[in-house]
Amino acid sequence: MPITVDITKAKAITKDRLRAERKPLLEEQDILFMKAQEAGTSTSAIVTEKQRLRDITNQVDSMTTVDELKGASV
């Protein structure tokens, strides 16, 4: 009997993995954001990167194969 993969569950697992990978990166951006605010410098690049990290799980929705899911990265 061949092994089948529930793509819906695989997507959920991939999203959880990506969330775990991005957590320290978001925390780092938060620190940079606070430092930039304190120094009065521009935060636009930091805000852009934080949004990119937040949106990272959206890429999973359009994936249709296990190989695509395995290749998803932050």
Side-chain angles (χ1 to χ4, degrees):
M1 183 168 158
I3 297 173
T4 59
V5 175
D6 183 337
I7 197 74
T8 303
K9 286 183 181 179
K11 285 182 179 185
I13 291 168
T14 301
K15 284 183 177 185
D16 288 343
R17 177 179 57 83
L18 291 172
R19 287 180 185 115
E21 289 177 8
R22 77 175 177 199
K23 186 177 186 284
L25 300 174
L26 277 170
E27 290 170 352
E28 180 182 329
Q29 292 300 313
D30 287 341
I31 292 168
L32 293 174
F33 183 83
M34 286 186 280
K35 286 181 178 179
Q37 277 191 319
E38 289 172 359
T41 58
S42 175
T43 59
S44 60
I46 298 167
V47 170
T48 301
E49 176 62 6
K50 285 177 68 171
Q51 190 60 51
R52 184 191 74 79
L53 290 169
R54 283 187 204 103
D55 293 341
I56 208 79
T57 56
N58 294 342
Q59 68 178 317
V60 174
D61 294 332
S62 64
M63 295 180 176
T64 57
T65 67
V66 174
D67 288 334
E68 286 177 318
L69 294 172
K70 286 180 183 177
S73 65
V74 176

